Amino acid sequence: MSKSNVLLVDIVAVSVDATCDLVNVVCTSFCTISLSTATVNVSLPPSLPSVKSIPSPATNLPFKYPAVVSDVAIICSGDAGIYAMGALVYELLDRDSAAGGVSAAARRVSVVTTPGISALQAAAARSGAILGHDFCTISLSDLLTPWDAIETRIHAAGAGDFVIAFYNPVSRRRRTQLAAARDILLGYRGGDTPVLLASNLGRPEESLKFRQLGSLDIDEVDMLTVVMVGSSSSRLLDLGRGKSIYTPRGYANKNNTIKDESKPK
């Protein structure tokens, strides 16, 4: 690795202490993370005793102090490249300093991204195989994307019969988008379409709720929930040892076709 690096690390279900320990290892003891205050504290060499900490947003940290900090980890939940900090890092590198980006010197920083497990993967693994066929993800937050654009994407996903993972489904301020998405999708698939509400994935309070699209209650959902809506072929399976959702890939149909073609005419 070059002298100054940004390391995007993905951590799921770790305590604050464990996170700090890992970051210390990754960053050669230069960086520790306080998850509760979203502040990055940097332990600098004695030659710079007056600099103690750099407040959030921490994304600029490795670009502001490339000569001091050898390796810096930017911590993201899930995968750094999926609705997380990875895109912001590259956006800063793509802008010059006059446009709110970074200096020419900072652009020499090497960026290394380690893959992580996003919420839709964790939810699918916990609940069966809902992502067994084509799927997409849509963020319902209109803070950075106009609602008209989000609505267009929901219609497209519905018309394409994709399994859909909704990120950022609701917040304390936003209570209407998920209901609107539900109503749009009911125009493309039945009310008995299976839905998974997966909350606090990887944490002790993890919760999985199996619901149907037609009766989806928005009050059961919060910002720590990923909402997985099945396609028209997704199935809810209950064999008495817990429920599962799966989306068939089509292997059974192909096997039946092969058997039919092998029969004597």
Side-chain angles (χ1 to χ4, degrees), residues 5-262:
N5 302 280
V6 182
L7 186 61
L8 303 182
V9 181
D10 309 290
I11 298 177
V12 178
V14 293
S15 67
V16 174
D17 290 340
T19 304
C20 292
D21 290 340
L22 178 57
V23 173
N24 283 332
V25 172
V26 171
C27 302
T28 61
S29 299
F30 281 118
C31 177
T32 60
I33 303 297
S34 171
L35 297 180
S36 60
T37 60
T39 298
V40 175
N41 295 317
V42 182
S43 301
L44 299 176
S47 59
L48 293 172
S50 60
V51 181
K52 297 298 183 183
S53 66
I54 301 169
S56 167
T59 314
N60 272 322
L61 181 148
F63 305 128
K64 288 183 177 180
Y65 298 88
V68 175
V69 181
S70 178
D71 295 308
V72 172
I74 297 178
I75 306 300
C76 311
S77 63
D79 184 282
I82 301 178
Y83 297 127
M85 299 294 287
L88 178 56
V89 168
Y90 283 99
E91 186 176 351
L92 289 171
L93 289 171
D94 192 38
R95 297 181 184 178
D96 58 34
S97 55
V102 299
S103 67
R107 293 187 181 190
R108 297 198 296 270
V109 170
S110 172
V111 180
V112 179
T113 305
T114 62
I117 299 175
S118 188
L120 83 162
Q121 296 167 278
R126 289 282 198 262
S127 63
I130 192 172
L131 302 180
H133 213 316
D134 296 335
F135 62 90
C136 67
T137 66
I138 299 176
S139 171
L140 292 182
S141 173
D142 60 355
L143 293 177
L144 301 176
T145 304
W147 173 248
D148 287 348
I150 298 172
E151 194 173 34
T152 298
R153 293 167 188 173
I154 298 169
H155 277 287
D161 199 21
F162 286 91
V163 173
I164 307 170
F166 286 118
Y167 281 64
N168 307 312
V170 299
S171 69
R172 280 178 289 185
R173 182 186 66 83
R174 293 185 297 104
R175 306 300 301 179
T176 61
Q177 283 90 338
L178 182 57
R182 174 199 61 203
D183 295 343
I184 290 171
L185 291 178
L186 284 171
Y188 296 97
R189 57 195 70 172
D192 60 349
T193 300
V195 174
L196 173 70
L197 308 180
S199 303
N200 291 293
L201 289 162
R203 299 180 174 93
E205 58 272 29
E206 176 179 290
S207 170
L208 301 179
K209 298 176 182 177
F210 297 87
R211 299 292 186 259
Q212 292 186 332
L213 181 61
S215 57
L216 178 59
D217 183 358
I218 309 307
D219 289 335
E220 288 193 285
V221 180
D222 60 22
M223 276 295 287
L224 296 178
T225 304
V226 59
V227 178
M228 308 279 284
V229 180
S231 69
S232 63
S233 63
S234 297
R235 298 289 179 264
L236 178 65
L237 183 65
D238 189 352
L239 300 178
R241 56 177 180 270
K243 296 180 180 179
S244 300
I245 300 177
Y246 76 100
T247 304
R249 184 73 173 89
Y251 298 115
N253 292 336
K254 185 173 180 62
N255 287 338
N256 290 336
T257 300
I258 293 173
K259 290 177 182 178
D260 290 342
E261 290 177 350
S262 65

